[in-house]
Amino acid sequence: MNLHGIIPPVVTPMKSNEDVDVAGLRRLIDLQLAKGVHGIFVLGTTSEFYALDDREKQEVIATAVAHVNGRCPVMAGTGAESTREVLRLTRMAEREKVSAVSVITPYYIMPTQAEIADHYRRVAENTSLNVLLYSNPSTCGGTKIDVETVARLAEIPNIVGIKDSAGDLTNLIEYVRVTPPNKFAVFQGRDTLILPALQFGAKGSVPGTCNIAPELCVGIYEAFRRGDIAAAQSLQLRLSPLRLALTIGTAPGAIKAAMNLLGLEMGPSRSPIAPLSPDKQEKLRGILRQINLL
């Protein structure tokens, strides 16, 4: 499988009562594909996977696969606190015919590297799907996937990549160095580092800001691919203030707030995530104007 490019972790649109807005998800997918993204990722952290029940998760995956209809790969997050639960969710995703699954390290607990390796090995052995590792220490109590662990896991045939959201460029470069480039894809999960990651061998990015500014994220990748580093750098510098501004609210509240300000109507995040206060909304509006999105 040739996973590459910009693969947005799309938000889960919701109605005012916090029910999943399936029609909104279809509109969002169409918007992202029209901007040239290279894949669609549902049920990631930005998608509020942790807040959705089983029925909702299946509905989101089924909707995405059916609506994309082969236009690009569809990846689904099937991470959970236990290996048993990840296996169950991955079987569901397999039935819905996704292209690959992304599995975040178990959260709440703090597993050892041996336990992490065994967790991913068992997931891979129990599915025919391609599996991406997902290291996001900030949401997992500081737990990360060590470079040596990634090197060992990359030897498993259907473990085909990793999303690295640690924000540590040295760590990402080491992932690239120790894994086979023709089989294993390293994706940057920190939007401020898309271009540097590509320059050091990453195959692409899974940027939350792509929900808001797909033209900037795709533009960075396409400019890099055609060798126009000056254009890629200009777009990266334009995108970075947006990513930094998203810390003004509990994730993914600020992403949805920005999309709503742009008229994309993604609704609220699921409680307890609250809407941005008026002063924070105005700050976000100012950033959108600064980078010429509003």
Side-chain angles (χ1 to χ4, degrees):
M1 176 176 225
N2 181 27
L3 286 175
H4 68 280
I6 302 298
I7 303 178
V10 293
V11 301
T12 302
M14 292 186 183
K15 302 174 184 177
S16 59
N17 64 357
E18 298 183 11
D19 284 350
V20 172
D21 180 1
V22 173
L25 178 59
R26 295 191 187 103
R27 288 195 303 272
L28 177 57
I29 289 171
D30 283 338
L31 171 65
Q32 294 291 318
L33 291 177
K35 296 296 184 178
V37 300
H38 306 87
I40 295 291
F41 177 25
V42 295
L43 302 186
T45 305
T46 303
S47 314
E48 301 175 81
F49 80 91
Y50 50 82
L52 304 181
D53 62 30
D54 278 8
R55 181 193 62 79
E56 291 170 323
K57 288 180 178 180
Q58 184 162 10
E59 182 177 42
V60 166
I61 293 175
T63 298
V65 171
H67 195 65
V68 168
N69 193 27
R71 289 179 284 175
C72 71
V74 176
M75 185 162 57
T78 57
E81 299 93 328
S82 70
T83 308
R84 183 187 183 97
E85 179 67 0
V86 173
L87 291 175
R88 189 181 68 80
L89 291 171
T90 300
R91 284 193 291 270
M92 180 268 287
E94 189 169 357
R95 288 194 299 272
E96 297 298 340
K97 302 188 185 307
V98 300
S99 308
V101 291
S102 170
V103 181
I104 196 168
T105 53
Y107 42 93
Y108 191 76
I109 60 172
M110 296 185 69
T112 66
Q113 291 300 305
E115 289 166 336
I116 288 172
D118 183 64
H119 175 71
Y120 284 113
R121 178 188 57 77
R122 290 175 61 190
V123 172
E125 288 176 352
N126 282 277
T127 184
S128 62
L129 291 172
N130 291 302
V131 177
L132 273 82
L133 317 175
Y134 179 13
S135 184
N136 191 349
S138 66
T139 61
C140 297
T143 298
K144 61 175 283 192
I145 311 176
D146 286 351
V147 171
E148 295 79 8
T149 305
V150 171
R152 291 198 303 273
L153 290 170
E155 297 173 0
I156 298 172
N158 61 327
I159 293 183
V160 299
I162 184 169
K163 178 189 175 186
D164 178 25
S165 294
D168 180 343
L169 189 57
T170 299
N171 187 76
L172 180 138
I173 293 169
E174 283 297 286
Y175 285 163
V176 172
R177 184 181 67 82
V178 302
T179 56
N182 59 336
K183 182 262 183 190
F184 193 88
V186 176
F187 283 85
Q188 175 60 265
R190 188 64 61 92
D191 305 16
T192 51
L193 296 172
I194 298 173
L195 176 57
L198 292 171
Q199 290 175 308
F200 281 98
K203 296 295 178 63
S205 179
V206 185
T209 52
C210 195
N211 287 279
I212 308 164
E215 62 274 20
L216 297 183
C217 297
V218 172
I220 293 168
Y221 179 79
E222 296 298 348
F224 172 79
R225 284 290 301 272
R226 66 176 183 266
D228 191 346
I229 302 304
Q233 184 179 37
S234 177
L235 291 167
Q236 178 70 81
L237 292 174
R238 189 174 158 204
L239 179 69
S240 292
L242 176 61
R243 172 59 185 88
L244 296 173
L246 298 181
T247 60
I248 66 175
T250 303
I255 291 179
K256 283 189 169 180
M259 297 176 78
N260 291 335
L261 286 171
L262 294 173
L264 299 177
E265 301 300 331
M266 291 295 107
S269 297
R270 188 159 281 180
S271 301
I273 299 176
L276 295 186
S277 62
D279 62 315
K280 289 184 176 180
Q281 286 215 38
E282 193 55 37
K283 180 178 179 181
L284 188 56
R285 191 190 306 273
I287 293 292
L288 293 173
R289 287 179 177 141
Q290 176 189 326
I291 62 174
N292 299 320
L293 291 182
L294 189 63

